[in-house]
Amino acid sequence: DARQRSRRKLLHSLDALGRALPGDPNFELLDRCEEKAYDMILGDAGKIFDLNTAPADVRERYGRNTFGQSCLMARRLVETGVPFVTINFNGWDTHKQHFQAMQRKLAELDAGVSTLLADLASRGLLESTIVWCSGEFGRTPKIQWKPPWNGGRGHFGHCFSTLVAGGGFRGGQVVGASDRTGSEVAERPVHPRDLIGTVYTQLGIDPRQKLPNPRNLDVPVMASSQVGTPAGGGLLHELI
């Protein structure tokens, strides 16, 4: 804590521009953001990061691993009003020994995500919280058995899955389907732009509206070529 306070004092001593423009609304906004940030680090808000205050049975349900405890932390942050939380779950780039890794990681994923959804729902937070779980691509359907891969799977962007829940999405359904081997999309293709546009819509953001910027440039939330019919990039009406 002492080191953080010392760094903050140094930061303020260097802020000549801020001192030269007292009352500037842009600097006042930055000051409010800084106060919130330091309250998370040094103030009462920072106590939320101490998972030892959580009941032991709750921690067990999430899973006593980094991902499970991160899901618990995410729920606590959402509960206190943090608007955007990212959980990183590394280790899915299984070029080698894919199945050994999955035996551990899938169990951790199932426990963490299912408990997070149940916990948010029990607290009345799921309908106002979008949970999005995905990677940037899938894994090759064909297994690479020869050395040095020994049962590995490479990068594969043709066909893969994403999970969304809460936030007004209609759950309990699968949109689209792959072929028998999971190599290609067989019906109802869903592109990343479809999902992103739908998430924006659920957040009350028009994908076609302009992003605010100091130069007042005509910069849309999503390019017009990305927002169109469901076949070419549109909303996932099955989910909303």
Side-chain angles (χ1 to χ4, degrees), residues 58-191:
V58 173
R59 297 191 69 181
E60 292 295 336
R61 287 201 300 273
Y62 275 98
R64 292 277 188 167
N65 53 75
T66 300
F67 176 72
Q69 298 303 289
S70 296
C71 289
L72 172 56
M73 181 65 69
R75 190 270 289 166
R76 288 161 67 102
L77 290 170
V78 168
E79 198 170 25
T80 58
V82 176
F84 193 95
V85 182
T86 300
I87 301 172
N88 292 315
F89 192 12
N90 298 322
W92 297 87
D93 200 16
T94 51
H95 291 280
K96 296 183 178 181
Q97 298 181 331
H98 169 86
F99 297 99
Q100 293 90 324
M102 290 303 100
Q103 287 178 353
R104 173 177 55 83
K105 297 189 71 62
L106 290 176
E108 293 179 359
L109 181 71
D110 285 349
V113 173
S114 63
T115 306
L116 174 62
L117 296 177
D119 210 356
L120 288 171
S122 70
R123 295 166 186 270
L125 295 169
L126 186 58
E127 279 302 300
S128 60
T129 306
I130 293 175
V131 179
W132 174 1
C133 180
S134 71
E136 69 271 50
F137 44 66
R139 312 305 298 179
T140 49
K142 187 174 182 180
I143 311 302
Q144 298 164 304
W145 290 112
K146 295 181 179 180
W149 312 116
N150 300 320
R153 299 175 70 181
H155 298 173
F156 193 74
H158 294 294
C159 184
F160 58 100
S161 300
T162 268
L163 178 148
V164 289
F169 283 113
R170 286 190 289 129
Q173 58 184 320
V174 177
V175 179
S178 69
D179 61 15
R180 183 178 60 83
T181 61
S183 301
E184 300 291 341
V185 175
E187 60 183 63
R188 181 54 171 100
V190 176
H191 298 90

